[in-house]
Amino acid sequence: MLNKYARAFFTRVLTPFAAFLLRRGVSPDAVTLIGTAGVMAGALVFFPRGEFFWGTIVITVFVFSDLVDGNMARQAGISSRWGAFLDSTLDRVADGAIFAGFALWYAGNGDNNALCAVAIFCLASGQVVSYTKARGESIGLPVAVNGLVERAERLVISLVAAGLAGLHAFGVPGIDILLPIALWIVAAGSVVTLGQRVVTVRRESAEADAAAASGAGPGNTGSTPRGSGSAS
């Protein structure tokens, strides 16, 4: 949902910065790697210690690399399957680090096993939600559905809540409740999104199988199309 609107806006905003990096000889792959490393550092260094405000600031700075690297590749005319694969793979690593950071906090000084479990569920369900789209596309289906909570929503909801919750350390009372609420929202939204994608893939696969069956003549066995795609 947010992907549809926010990505286009931030792409326009970050285009001059992407052009600047290209002029300095920086490669899109380098931006992808640095961005992922920065997100992981912000999540796994700050979040387990309960420093949610500063962790969110660090992550926010680096998370925009996901838009910058693709912008750079398009401007340079060097978009490739490898770049798309690397970007999608490291997105999963960065997302996992964020929710792992939450889980480590609640397993440690946060002292809340229930919220630790919810954070782990958010981590796992986010990976599965992305996998369903990638797997559907790999068997030749469009997976034409805008899920309720895709990657952009997961990041915005969790990071905004974490950043605000971090203000509790600066004396803002009661605001730390926002992070648990956000984790429950992401968990529930991920379940809904997973259901949306499974239903969509089932419908599209049934339509594709019916079309293949109606178009196959005697002696034709047909084949399953193969393809590739990105996940969110």
Side-chain angles (χ1 to χ4, degrees):
M1 295 168 66
L2 286 177
N3 280 335
K4 182 178 179 181
Y5 304 103
R7 182 173 288 271
F9 170 76
F10 283 111
T11 295
R12 289 194 298 271
V13 171
L14 294 172
T15 292
F17 180 61
F20 170 80
L21 292 178
L22 286 172
R23 290 195 298 270
R24 295 297 182 274
V26 179
S27 72
D29 286 354
V31 171
T32 303
L33 292 168
I34 293 171
T36 302
V39 170
M40 292 180 65
L44 298 178
V45 172
F46 291 94
F47 285 176
R49 298 188 298 185
E51 298 177 3
F52 294 117
F53 178 79
W54 294 115
T56 300
I57 294 298
V58 172
I59 290 170
T60 301
V61 169
F62 285 99
V63 80
F64 283 105
S65 66
D66 186 47
L67 299 176
V68 174
D69 54 7
N71 194 313
M72 292 172 65
R74 287 189 294 273
Q75 289 191 50
I78 54 175
S79 298
S80 65
R81 291 181 176 85
W82 161 250
F85 169 81
L86 181 67
D87 187 55
S88 181
T89 300
L90 293 185
D91 281 350
R92 308 286 81 75
V93 173
D95 294 357
I98 290 171
F99 289 102
F102 294 143
L104 288 171
W105 162 249
Y106 286 116
N109 291 334
D111 193 24
N112 192 315
N113 289 336
L115 288 175
C116 176
V118 173
I120 292 173
F121 179 83
C122 290
L123 190 163
S125 60
Q127 306 298 315
V128 175
V129 165
S130 296
Y131 174 80
T132 55
K133 184 175 179 67
R135 185 64 180 125
E137 290 176 341
S138 76
I139 58 176
L141 302 175
V143 196
V145 59
N146 290 321
L148 179 65
V149 177
E150 298 183 330
R151 183 174 188 253
E153 287 83 6
R154 292 195 300 271
L155 291 180
V156 169
I157 293 170
S158 58
L159 291 178
V160 169
L164 292 174
L167 295 177
H168 181 74
F170 297 93
V172 180
I175 201 166
D176 51 327
I177 192 64
L178 290 178
L179 181 55
I181 292 173
L183 290 176
W184 279 107
I185 290 173
V186 170
S190 295
V191 171
V192 173
T193 305
L194 178 60
Q196 289 175 304
R197 290 190 172 178
V198 169
V199 169
T200 299
V201 169
R202 182 176 183 182
R203 174 178 53 78
E204 290 177 350
S205 62
E207 292 171 353
D209 290 344
S214 64
N220 291 333
T221 58
S223 62
T224 301
R226 310 297 296 183
S228 62
S230 61
S232 62

